[in-house]
Each structure stands twice: as C-alpha cells, then as structure tokens.
Amino acid sequence: MPSLLIVDDEPSVLTSLTFLFKRHGYDVLAAEHPEKALEQVASLRDIGSLGVVISDYRMPTMSGIELLHEIAKFAPEAKRILLTAKSDLVTVMDAVNEGGLYRFLTKPCSYELLLRTVEEAFLVFNSAQENRQLNEELRQANIQLRSLSKKLEARVEHTTKELRAAIYFDRLTGLPSIELMHDRLAVAIQSAIRSAQTITVIYIGIENFSLINENLGHKIGNDLLCAFAARLEALIWEGDSAGRMHGDRFALIISNTAPGEPANELITRLLGLLQQPFQIGEQQIYLDANFGIAFFPEDGSSPQALLSHAEVAMHQARKDPDASYRFYSEDINRQSNERFILHSQIRAALENGEFKVHYQPRINVITGKIIGVEALLRWQHPERGLLPPAEFLYALEETGLIRQAGEWVLNEVCKSVVEWQAEVGHSLHVAVNVSPIQLKAGDFRDLVEKAIEHSKLDLSKTTLELEITENIFLSDMEQVREQLNSLRQMGIKIAIDDFGTGYSSLSYLIKLPIHYLKIDRTFVIDITKSRDAKAIVRAITSLAQSLRLQVVAEGIETEDQLEAMRTLDCEEFQGFLFSRPVSADAMRQLLIANSRNDSSNGKLFKNQDNSEEQFYV
Ligand code: C2E
Ligand code: MG
Ligand code: MG
C-alpha cells in the first residue's frame, strides 16, 4: 500500500492529522519539519511507494512549495497537497498553475474535505501507477514480441531455405529436381539466344527399374539411383546440369554447344556410362537405359517443349529394340505427323472403298487339300500400293475405325464364301481375324448375326471361325467369356491366333469355348533347326489333343517344316509353301482347281501362281 507523508511544524496539527489518517487505514509518515521530511523520503526503500504528500506552507526553514518541489525530484509521481492560510493564496495558486501541486487546501479545512482530497489523490496516484505498470508490461510485451518476431523471421527464413532445397533438389540423389531443371533450362535458353548457341537436352529413362526394386529391394534400388546420379554428374562439365525428373527418369542440360556441333561425343560417353556394372554392396548390377535428345532452338523454344520432346524421343528409343537413343527432330516429328496423316487417310479409305480382303488357303496336312481360307485385310493405297495390316491396323485400332472395317470384312467374307460354296459344292472353312476392340464392343454378336443373315451363309455347310489373340484375356475375362459363349451358341468356332506368343495363363483354354490353336510362325521357322522349338510345338499339339482342340500351323514355307509338322500330329497348316494370300478372285479359282484335283495320293497341291501383289512399304 502506498504511504502518505504529512509535514507540519505545528505539532498539534501533525499529531491530529496523523491520527486521523491512520484511523482511516492509511500508512502515514509524519515529519515535523522539511528536513525530516526529505530524510524520510530519502530513506524510503521504494520511492514509488510514496503516494501522497500533505505539507504545510509556512515553515521556518523552507516553504511548503519549496519542500514539495524538492520531494518531486525524488518522487515525481507522488501527489502533492499544500495546506495554506488564505493570505498566501496568490503564491500558492501560481505554484498550482505551474503544475507543481496536485491541490491546495486553505486552513482551516474540514477533515471531510481533507479526507476526500487525499482519497482522490490516492485514486489518481494509484491509477497512474497502474497505467505505468500497464505501460511497462506493454513495453515488456513489445520487447518480447520483437524478439519473438525476430526468431520467427529467422525460422521462416530457415524453413524457406529448406523448402527451396526440397523443391529444387531431389532428396535422394541431391541432383536438381524437375523444377530447378525447368528454371535452369529457362536461363540457359536466354543466354543461348544472346550468344547464338544451341542447347542439347537429353532425357534418360532407366529400363526395368521396377524389377530391380521388386527383386533386390528398395534400399538397393535407391543406392543404385544415387550411384547412377553420381555417374551422370561426373559426366557433365561445370555449368551444365544433370537432374532427376522423377523415379527412374533423369535429364541433362548441355548448354553452349555451337550450332551444328554433333552430340555424338556426348552420346558415346553416355552409353559408356552403362558399360561398367554398378557395385551396390555385394551386388554387381548392370543398368540399361534409353536416351531421347532434343535441341534448342530446333526442337522447341521453351523448357517444357524441349524436355517433353526429349522425353518423347526417349519413349521412341524404348520401343525400338535396336536403338538406345533417338533424336527428337530426326524422325519423331515426322512419325507423329505421319500418324496424323494416316489417321485422316484411313478414314477416307474406308469411305472410298480402298480396303480389300485377300485370302490364304488352309490345307489339310494329310490330304494336301484346301479345307478353308483365312481372310486377311489389305489396303489398296492410292500412292503407296497394296499395304499389309502391319502398316495400318494400329491406326484403325487407334481411331476406333476397326469396328467399321471389321464389320465390312465380315460382310465381304460371308458374301464371297457363299458364292464359292455354290461353285465347289463341298463344305468350306473360313477364318476371320477379330481385334479385341471389336470383340469388346457390345454389338459384335449382332454384327456377326447380320452378316450371316444378309449373305445367307449356311453354317451347316460353312464353318465360320473367328480368330482372336491371347492378349484379349488380359482384359475383362467375364465379358470375353460371355461374348464367346454367345457366339458359340450361334454355331461359330473360335481359334486362338499366334498361340504361344501371348502372356496369359493357359487356364482360359479350359474355361472358354475354343476349338483351334494356331501355332505362331515363330515356332515353325525354327522347327527343323532347333530342338527347343520342336519341343514347344510337340507340347502344344499334345496339350491340344488332350483338350480336344485342333491345331493349325502358321507360316509353313518349306517342305521340311511341313514334314516336321506331320510327324508332330499337326492337322492343318497355312503358309507360303502352298500359297500366299491372294485376291478373292484368285482364291475362287484356286478353290475350284483344288476341288477338281484328286490328291488322294497325298501329293501336295500348290498354288501355281504363288504371288501376292507386291507390298510397297
Ligand atoms: P495372322 O492372323 O496371324 O495372319 C497370318 C499372317 O502371316 C498374315 O500376315 C500372312 O500373310 C502371314 N503369312 C502366312 N503364311 C506365311 C508364311 O509362310 N511366311 C510368312 N512370312 N508369312 C506368312 P498379314 O496378312 O500381313 O496379317 C498380319 C496380321 O494382321 C494377321 O496375323 C492378323 O493378326 C492381322 N489381320 C489381318 N487381317 C485382319 C482383319 O481383317 N482384322 C483384324 N482385326 N486383324 C487382321
Ligand atoms: Mg489370323
Ligand atoms: Mg497368326
């Protein structure tokens, strides 16, 4: 509690005032002359605890005003009250006006007034104290805040740095990230423009990296990526950049190459990088990678364009088993343009009736007689000549036009077979290739049914066989099963084409209504030379026998191959040995000649004019 100092040289006044205020609970200090008062003030432990001073004006050694001025030097906050006679009024008022006093009271003064004034003075003092305290707290809080915000700033700066590092550098390998590579390429482009130089951007994809992760574990996978990154960094000059784009994809930015300077030297170094194995712990691992190369300014003017073109070139290299790198500009641009042109040409071809169906006979191995035909699609291109499916089938599939083309083939085949049937007089077998896209379309069964109805194909005389490849079973098995079952119910037979080259499980052979297996040409080629090929064909024929499936060999070109097939109990074959695919007209004549020829002696009847119009590729 703050104290009240009372100064009066009149002992009775001093005593009675002291008594009065003590009685009202004040902490009173009493001084009978100014010196004593100053002494008491000086001896206070806490000068701020002096709240109010009441002083008499007239005192022998010092006036009340002088004393209060003195006290103010020590305790400026204390509220000072002067007790004075009326005669001193002018002097006192001046002192009040100067701001040196809080109040003055004239004698005689009632106790009530005195008490009230002192009480008010304490209130003012206390609230000033509180204010000061609050201000002090505020000041402290400000100091703390300032230091906190400094710390915060430092932390933000640190985190920003960390964040920048995380964004701009790959955590695992420490190489620049895709973001930094974009930035650096942008800078390199600006400087290449100024100095009329070119930039080489190389996109690198490690092959089969997921297999390494799966088989050797992620730890080794990560170590391998780091080792690869280190080799890349060692390969480039200072000022060039090697970065990790994501996963097993990296990129190089080689700036300041002079225009026309060949990238061969760099590519040789890149290829050399993979010739040595990577030693990861106990393991020695060889890596395979593909590179795609794009140049500034030829192949793009922005970082995005250059990096994505280099990536496209890398994907092209991946597709080509004979190349591990590709230049973007050299052929990919052309290829993608060609693809675009092909897409529009093929649409027109369908409308202009440029497609044809050729037929290849299917022969009974024992009798050597034609038992049927396989329909094979051709495109009579106005400029490029007769094209085989390898040239355009993918475009038909990519554009979805395969459904339209496939429907046309079905109608065309059914129509021709009905005509031939009437002429040869015996039953025929006709096989049509079907793309997965056709089979998966909901209306496929209806299209087949319509083709049969329109052509009046008699399924009791003609076997209609649809050839599908094993890869169809990688997709929705249930849907395929439904489609095939409903086709079977119509009396249609199903063959698995190119058998042995797909990746699916063989269990489908039991679950699905399949009648024929067509052994792929790749096994036939080697059958006379390789024991393994022979063993595979033997395994296929015995599997077929036990599942009561018939086997057709594709691509028989020599008598030896045919003989080998005979010994392996293969019942039917196709191949250039007997006939290449021929036009519908030529096929008709071949069928008529074949039906007249009596080859019961087992001697093979061959197509005399065994040629298909030259393909222009
Ligand atoms: P595929 O169904 O396996 O047809 C057999 C391919 O082997 C045909 O090629 C044929 O000309 C060729 N070939 C036959 N015998 C021999 C031989 O002794 N030696 C050699 N080297 N080749 C032989 P083509 O006509 O180029 O057809 C390729 C593939 O295109 C076909 O393979 C088939 O999968 C597909 N295809 C053909 N026509 C159609 C069609 O109308 N629709 C669909 N979706 N695909 C078709
Ligand atoms: Mg086929
Ligand atoms: Mg085939």
Side-chain angles (χ1 to χ4, degrees):
M1 180 191 187
S3 35
L4 168 68
L5 172 63
I6 304 171
V7 193
D8 207 309
D9 58 340
E10 185 61 54
S12 60
V13 176
L14 185 64
T15 313
S16 62
L17 286 183
T18 304
F19 177 75
L20 173 73
F21 284 106
K22 276 195 173 167
R23 210 171 49 144
H24 279 84
Y26 289 94
D27 177 27
V28 180
L29 304 171
E32 56 274 23
H33 50 81
E35 290 72 19
K36 175 80 189 280
L38 287 173
E39 230 171 73
Q40 277 184 322
V41 170
S43 67
L44 275 175
R45 204 180 295 150
D46 172 16
I47 199 71
S49 66
L50 182 63
V52 178
V53 184
I54 303 174
S55 174
D56 183 26
Y57 176 61
R58 277 179 182 275
M59 290 184 290
T61 51
M62 198 186 280
S63 81
I65 290 177
E66 282 166 335
L67 172 67
L68 290 177
H69 267 298
E70 276 307 301
I71 289 177
K73 288 181 191 163
F74 296 97
E77 310 300 331
K79 299 292 148 202
R80 298 176 297 277
I81 300 169
L82 196 67
L83 278 175
T84 175
K86 272 209 172 95
S87 52
D88 305 316
L89 217 52
V90 178
T91 330
V92 173
M93 274 180 56
D94 284 348
V96 173
N97 289 340
E98 277 168 27
L101 297 180
Y102 168 67
R103 284 281 145 80
F104 75 88
L105 298 172
T106 48
K107 289 181 184 173
C109 163
S110 72
Y111 283 164
E112 286 77 33
L113 179 62
L114 199 57
L115 275 169
R116 209 169 54 239
T117 308
V118 167
E119 193 180 347
E120 271 174 22
F122 268 108
L123 277 177
V124 174
F125 172 81
N126 283 338
S127 83
Q129 286 286 89
E130 268 170 30
N131 262 349
R132 221 189 16 259
Q133 205 169 325
L134 277 176
N135 276 337
E136 179 57 23
E137 279 172 15
L138 211 65
R139 200 178 64 84
Q140 290 295 340
N142 269 335
I143 291 172
Q144 272 187 3
L145 210 67
R146 225 171 296 140
S147 105
L148 263 177
S149 83
K150 265 205 184 125
K151 274 187 201 155
L152 208 69
E153 261 170 39
R155 182 145 346 141
V156 167
E157 201 177 317
H158 180 72
T159 321
T160 313
K161 265 191 199 155
E162 275 191 344
L163 227 81
R164 275 174 66 88
I167 290 173
Y168 282 129
F169 291 93
D170 173 48
R171 241 169 216 268
L172 178 66
T173 61
L175 288 187
S177 67
I178 185 166
E179 282 78 14
L180 186 54
M181 289 298 272
H182 270 90
D183 287 2
R184 287 200 178 163
L185 191 49
V187 173
I189 288 173
Q190 287 312 315
S191 100
I193 291 171
R194 280 194 299 274
S195 56
Q197 299 258 355
T198 62
I199 303 168
T200 308
V201 177
I202 303 182
Y203 202 95
I204 304 161
I206 299 178
E207 276 302 285
N208 297 324
F209 190 73
S210 54
L211 288 181
I212 292 174
N213 266 340
E214 277 163 28
N215 294 320
L216 304 178
H218 286 270
K219 164 87 176 70
I220 290 189
N222 284 349
D223 290 352
L224 196 56
L225 286 175
C226 290
F228 183 74
R231 281 198 194 175
L232 277 186
E233 261 194 317
L235 184 94
I236 55 169
W237 302 106
E238 210 181 309
D240 294 334
S241 298
R244 182 175 179 210
M245 307 311 274
H246 61 87
D248 51 12
R249 302 282 191 258
F250 294 82
L252 301 180
I253 301 169
I254 312 294
S255 36
N256 292 333
T257 39
E261 185 180 300
N264 295 355
E265 201 259 343
L266 185 71
I267 292 164
T268 313
R269 277 194 285 149
L270 263 175
L271 294 174
L273 190 126
L274 300 170
Q275 268 153 20
Q276 295 302 316
F278 290 84
Q279 186 74 42
I280 308 292
E282 305 277 283
Q283 307 266 358
Q284 272 209 340
I285 304 166
Y286 281 92
L287 278 187
D288 191 14
N290 289 295
F291 311 101
I293 303 148
F295 296 109
F296 172 82
E298 297 94 313
D299 303 332
S301 54
S302 68
Q304 288 79 0
L306 285 165
L307 282 164
S308 82
H309 288 169
E311 185 179 0
V312 168
M314 186 276 288
H315 285 296
Q316 289 292 324
R318 287 187 74 197
K319 281 191 204 156
D320 185 347
D322 299 324
S324 49
Y325 65 89
R326 280 287 184 95
F327 293 99
Y328 173 73
S329 53
E330 199 177 77
D331 48 9
I332 293 163
N333 229 350
R334 182 175 56 78
Q335 272 183 21
S336 62
N337 283 343
E338 274 177 2
R339 182 167 286 216
F340 179 72
I341 293 168
L342 189 65
H343 280 189
S344 52
Q345 279 185 346
I346 212 157
R347 212 173 283 277
L350 209 55
E351 283 162 17
N352 300 340
E354 289 169 13
F355 286 106
K356 294 165 80 176
V357 181
H358 276 198
Y359 296 88
Q360 187 180 39
R362 184 148 134 192
I363 319 298
N364 182 303
V365 169
I366 308 295
T367 65
K369 283 203 137 196
I370 301 177
I371 56 107
V373 296
E374 175 176 7
L376 295 160
L377 187 58
R378 302 285 179 258
W379 177 7
Q380 188 67 58
H381 194 284
E383 288 137 30
R384 297 168 66 198
L386 190 69
L387 300 181
E391 291 286 313
F392 60 86
L393 201 63
Y394 69 91
L396 280 177
E397 292 186 331
E398 278 171 2
T399 51
L401 291 171
I402 186 69
R403 289 173 60 187
Q404 223 173 307
E407 185 184 353
W408 177 82
V409 169
L410 263 171
N411 283 308
E412 197 66 15
V413 170
C414 291
K415 212 165 63 194
S416 297
V417 172
V418 168
E419 281 172 26
W420 300 339
Q421 186 89 65
E423 290 190 76
V424 297
H426 62 78
S427 64
L428 272 180
H429 187 116
V430 58
V432 177
N433 292 286
V434 174
S435 143
I437 296 174
Q438 291 171 268
L439 197 68
K440 279 189 218 155
D443 60 352
F444 183 66
R445 184 192 184 281
D446 297 346
L447 296 181
V448 177
E449 205 164 26
K450 262 191 216 148
I452 294 171
E453 267 173 32
H454 279 171
S455 59
K456 303 204 173 54
L457 187 80
D458 183 351
L459 284 179
S460 67
K461 289 189 189 138
T462 305
T463 306
L464 179 57
E465 170 193 309
L466 298 178
E467 296 191 0
I468 56 177
T469 51
E470 287 167 281
N471 293 339
I472 181 95
F473 303 125
L474 295 175
S475 55
D476 185 353
M477 193 68 174
E478 227 8 77
Q479 197 199 1
V480 174
R481 192 213 302 262
E482 267 173 36
Q483 284 279 23
L484 296 186
N485 276 332
S486 75
L487 289 166
R488 193 223 353 227
Q489 276 159 18
M490 283 167 62
I492 285 162
K493 307 264 159 131
I494 306 294
I496 303 297
D497 206 351
D498 308 338
F499 184 75
T501 59
Y503 294 107
S504 57
S505 122
L506 289 181
S507 59
Y508 70 83
L509 289 176
I510 304 164
K511 293 183 195 146
L512 299 175
I514 289 159
H515 306 91
Y516 297 93
L517 298 184
K518 298 189 79 175
I519 301 180
D520 192 64
R521 199 168 76 83
T522 46
F523 301 117
V524 173
I525 293 173
D526 292 336
I527 196 158
T528 53
K529 293 177 239 146
S530 143
R531 273 213 230 153
D532 290 347
K534 200 166 185 169
I536 290 174
V537 175
R538 185 177 292 120
I540 294 175
T541 50
S542 63
L543 172 80
Q545 267 168 8
S546 49
L547 293 175
R548 284 188 292 283
L549 302 174
Q550 271 179 278
V551 177
V552 185
E554 290 188 298
I556 300 279
E557 293 185 353
T558 67
E559 295 282 359
D560 290 350
Q561 287 168 345
L562 182 59
E563 189 47 41
M565 281 301 167
R566 261 193 207 117
T567 61
L568 290 171
D569 294 333
C570 174
E571 293 140 319
E572 295 171 10
F573 79 96
Q574 285 172 232
F576 292 175
L577 176 66
F578 184 88
S579 175
R580 286 172 184 267
V582 293
S583 68
D585 234 17
M587 190 66 231
R588 176 179 157 269
Q589 284 166 22
L590 206 54
L591 280 170
I592 293 168
N594 176 72
S595 66
R596 285 191 197 131
N597 181 55
D598 176 15
S599 37
S600 51
N601 56 7
K603 197 164 179 311
L604 191 62
F605 171 87
K606 290 184 195 167
N607 183 8
Q608 298 306 302
D609 177 22
N610 189 6
S611 66
E612 187 173 10
E613 193 180 330
Q614 202 59 49
F615 292 138
Y616 296 90
V617 181

